[in-house]
Amino acid sequence: MKEALSPWFMPSLFFVLALIALLFLGLLFWRLRRKRKFDVAKITLADIDLMTGHEFEEYLYVLLTALDYETFLTKKSRDFGADLLFYDTYEQKTVVQAKRLADPLGLTAVQEVFAAKAYYEADKALIITTAPSLTESCRKLASAAKVTVIEREQLEDLIKNFKRGREELARNQMEAPYEQVTYRGEDSLEELGSSKGLIQAGEFYYRGG
């Protein structure tokens, strides 16, 4: 006579089978998603919010090319601060950094794309981001470095113009000049001074003769 199954065996077997089924469905979903093609003419900002950083870069490549710009993607392993590069209406070389963010855009993006402008010997530098805003320091540095930033609200308008066939308006948004912001570089300097020949900063000092 066959031995009866222990009372814990059936629930454990059910758990294992359920886990295998979930893994299979997950793999199937991943494979289907990998094979899907996304029509840029139908994509919304809400869709972009679900993209990875690389997907956002690829989306922008297709969008810019569709706007009749000669566009290039940079190599992912060594992009030197730029994700894309395109030539605008006036044949000006423009480096682009794509930032898919939910938080305000910070200084780093400006620093990187400014360096990329020098590396690629570009005429202009541009950041396209889903960030809702810029930090104050980011806005000031972008103005000083003459870096244009297309932030979330502007990106949404650009997408709408493209989808409605208003390509010239979309290109005007892409080629808008950088925002000029009033700032004083001196405000970022710290004057420590010296007294009676003593020079000191933090734990370091020098006493002159």
Side-chain angles (χ1 to χ4, degrees), residues 2 5 10 13 20 28-29 60-61 63 82 85 92 99 126 135-136 144 147 153 156 159 165 175 179 183 196:
K2 295 182 178 179
L5 295 175
M10 290 304 293
L13 180 61
I20 292 173
L28 180 62
F29 174 78
L60 288 176
Y61 170 81
L63 177 64
L85 186 151
Q92 289 189 306
K99 285 292 186 184
L126 171 66
T135 63
E136 182 182 357
V147 172
E153 187 175 343
E156 187 169 26
I159 292 170
E175 300 177 27
E179 179 186 6
Y183 66 91
K196 297 181 180 179

Side-chain angles (χ1 to χ4, degrees), residues 193-199 206-209:
S194 60
S195 60
K196 297 181 180 179
L198 177 65
I199 305 169
Y206 173 76
R207 189 181 298 278

Side-chain angles (χ1 to χ4, degrees), residues 120-131:
Y120 290 101
E121 299 181 333
D123 302 295
K124 297 165 63 178
L126 171 66
I127 298 171
I128 303 177
T129 181
T130 58

Side-chain angles (χ1 to χ4, degrees), residues 139-204:
R139 197 175 295 278
K140 288 179 179 179
L141 185 60
S143 178
K146 299 181 180 180
V147 172
T148 302
V149 181
I150 295 179
E151 51 194 287
R152 187 177 186 86
E153 187 175 343
Q154 297 164 324
L155 177 59
E156 187 169 26
D157 287 340
L158 190 155
I159 292 170
K160 287 178 180 177
N161 283 328
F162 169 72
K163 291 168 72 174
R164 292 170 182 170
R166 301 170 182 169
E167 295 183 0
E168 186 174 353
L169 282 177
R171 284 192 291 270
N172 288 340
Q173 289 175 285
M174 285 294 304
E175 300 177 27
Y178 67 94
E179 179 186 6
Q180 293 185 332
V181 176
T182 301
Y183 66 91
R184 279 170 30 97
E186 293 82 357
D187 293 339
S188 298
L189 301 179
E190 183 177 3
E191 186 175 353
L192 300 178
S194 60
S195 60
K196 297 181 180 179
L198 177 65
I199 305 169
Q200 185 170 352
E203 298 180 358
F204 300 92

Side-chain angles (χ1 to χ4, degrees), residues 7-185:
W8 59 267
F9 181 78
M10 290 304 293
S12 298
L13 180 61
F14 175 78
F15 175 78
V16 171
L17 292 175
L19 183 61
I20 292 173
L22 285 174
L23 289 173
F24 175 78
L25 290 174
L27 179 62
L28 180 62
F29 174 78
W30 180 80
R31 288 177 63 91
L32 288 173
R33 189 177 186 279
R34 294 286 294 177
K35 292 181 179 179
R36 288 179 64 188
K37 301 296 182 183
F38 301 97
D39 186 351
V40 168
K42 298 177 181 178
I43 286 176
T44 66
L45 196 56
D47 297 320
I48 293 174
D49 287 336
L50 299 176
M51 294 180 183
T52 65
H54 288 332
E55 287 173 339
F56 185 40
E57 295 165 16
E58 292 167 351
Y59 161 79
L60 288 176
Y61 170 81
V62 177
L63 177 64
L64 294 179
T65 304
L67 288 172
D68 291 329
Y69 292 125
E70 184 181 4
T71 311
F72 304 88
L73 276 168
T74 60
K75 294 181 179 180
K76 299 295 176 285
S77 59
R78 189 172 295 177
D79 59 26
F80 294 97
D83 300 309
L84 303 101
L85 186 151
F86 75 95
Y87 291 86
D88 70 11
T89 305
Y90 303 98
E91 291 299 314
Q92 289 189 306
K93 187 190 296 185
T94 304
V95 288
V96 181
Q97 185 167 106
K99 285 292 186 184
R100 202 200 64 74
L101 300 171
D103 299 322
L105 187 73
L107 281 173
T108 304
V110 178
Q111 294 167 340
E112 291 175 349
V113 80
F114 182 72
K117 178 183 173 185
Y119 178 80
Y120 290 101
E121 299 181 333
D123 302 295
K124 297 165 63 178
L126 171 66
I127 298 171
I128 303 177
T129 181
T130 58
S133 61
L134 282 63
T135 63
E136 182 182 357
S137 56
C138 175
R139 197 175 295 278
K140 288 179 179 179
L141 185 60
S143 178
K146 299 181 180 180
V147 172
T148 302
V149 181
I150 295 179
E151 51 194 287
R152 187 177 186 86
E153 187 175 343
Q154 297 164 324
L155 177 59
E156 187 169 26
D157 287 340
L158 190 155
I159 292 170
K160 287 178 180 177
N161 283 328
F162 169 72
K163 291 168 72 174
R164 292 170 182 170
R166 301 170 182 169
E167 295 183 0
E168 186 174 353
L169 282 177
R171 284 192 291 270
N172 288 340
Q173 289 175 285
M174 285 294 304
E175 300 177 27
Y178 67 94
E179 179 186 6
Q180 293 185 332
V181 176
T182 301
Y183 66 91
R184 279 170 30 97

